[in-house]
Amino acid sequence: MEDSLDLPLREVLPIIQKRIIEQTTYFGVTALKNPFDFWIYQELIHRVQPDFIIEIGNHKGGGTLALAHLCDLLGKGKVIGVDLDHARIPDVVRNHPRVTFIEGDACASFGRVANLIAPGDHCLIIEDSLHTLENTRNVLRTYSPLIQPGGYFIVEDGICHHGLDIAPFPGPYEAIEEFVAENPHFVVDRSFESFLITWNPKGFLRKVDPAQNGGLR
Ligand SMILES: C[S@@+](CC[C@H](N)C(=O)[O-])C[C@H]1O[C@@H](n2cnc3c(N)ncnc32)[C@H](O)[C@@H]1O
């Protein structure tokens, strides 16, 4: 590490990204997740104690399993995983009793997800799917009504072209900016970016009463 002390952050971020893409696992299952962010998820989940965590975009399921294990430790909560294709998900994730997978396009599958949730249930939503502006915006618009005041919608990978030159542009960051500009019920809560390194800049959206939004936008 001492050899790297003089590296600027813009050179460090691609090194971390390569580690995430090529080597990062959770309990042996590939997880495309920055560990700083996962620690923040743990803090957030402990604080809000959701009844459901909806992870949109599951890939090989390491992130899904990690979320289910956090629910195990909390003693409450279920995880709904939505992806176009769950063929790569191993049994250790597929068979976890807190996990339900729904296969299909996220927005087209909304009705099947919503059917699993009762009125008043508290949902945390984590969007980590296609990362185009249009898809991210559609997921935000479609799924946001499931969140109760005080709850959170996490949009991953706003770092695309805002720290890393990867993935679509415009992408998640621009979708977040459009969404909060049109929707007074959600504000960006930057307190969750306090490690400084996050793959989700502006990506922690809190549902508020618009009359008391606290000026976080
Ligand atoms: C970045 S990976 C998800 C990584 C995962 N959250 C993790 O922590 O390891 C993106 C996933 O989104 C899925 N995806 C892409 N477009 C989608 C869509 N329209 N609806 C649902 N899932 C989609 C892909 O199949 C892929 O598995």
Side-chain angles (χ1 to χ4, degrees):
M1 189 193 81
E2 289 185 341
D3 293 345
S4 310
L5 282 177
D6 293 327
L7 282 179
L9 194 52
R10 69 177 65 254
E11 290 180 26
V12 172
L13 295 178
I15 294 169
I16 300 175
Q17 171 69 359
K18 185 169 159 50
R19 170 64 167 80
I20 293 169
I21 296 295
E22 294 180 359
Q23 296 178 50
T24 303
T25 59
Y26 176 81
F27 268 61
V29 184
T30 296
L32 303 180
K33 196 74 68 200
N34 183 294
F36 279 114
D37 287 321
F38 189 71
W39 191 264
I40 291 290
Y41 293 5
Q42 170 274 132
E43 292 181 355
L44 177 54
I45 287 165
H46 184 263
R47 188 192 299 182
V48 303
Q49 307 254 328
D51 299 303
F52 286 92
I53 302 172
I54 303 168
E55 186 196 41
I56 300 171
N58 315 125
H59 189 56
K60 294 187 181 172
T64 323
L65 184 63
L67 295 167
H69 282 173
L70 286 180
C71 291
D72 285 342
L73 292 170
L74 268 184
K76 70 171 286 191
K78 293 184 175 163
V79 181
I80 302 173
V82 186
D83 201 298
L84 293 171
D85 180 7
H86 286 126
R88 299 163 293 192
I89 304 274
D91 285 347
V92 66
V93 189
R94 201 180 286 281
N95 296 334
H96 191 289
R98 292 189 189 272
V99 173
T100 302
F101 282 119
I102 291 183
E103 199 168 83
D105 169 74
C107 291
S109 305
F110 176 75
R112 286 194 287 157
V113 175
N115 277 342
L116 299 174
I117 296 163
D121 279 343
H122 285 266
C123 297
L124 168 67
I125 302 178
I126 303 173
E127 149 58 25
D128 186 23
S129 61
L130 192 57
H131 299 329
T132 60
L133 170 73
E134 189 184 16
N135 189 69
T136 310
R137 191 176 49 203
N138 287 345
V139 168
L140 277 162
R141 287 176 178 166
T142 304
Y143 280 82
S144 54
L146 292 178
I147 300 179
Q148 301 284 336
Y152 281 81
F153 201 137
I154 301 173
V155 180
E156 293 205 354
D157 290 325
I159 196 169
C160 299
H161 302 281
H162 295 271
L164 283 173
D165 291 331
I166 55 167
F169 181 81
Y173 191 96
E174 289 71 30
I176 293 163
E177 290 196 321
E178 284 192 16
F179 178 72
V180 295
E182 75 186 21
N183 192 325
H185 296 279
F186 284 86
V187 294
V188 173
D189 184 348
R190 304 209 79 166
S191 68
F192 290 102
E193 300 177 43
S194 48
F195 276 127
L196 183 62
I197 292 179
T198 177
W199 261 225
N200 310 335
K202 292 195 176 178
F204 296 88
L205 308 184
R206 182 158 58 90
K207 186 162 188 179
V208 294
D209 175 347
Q212 312 172 340
N213 85 19
L216 287 170
R217 186 183 304 265

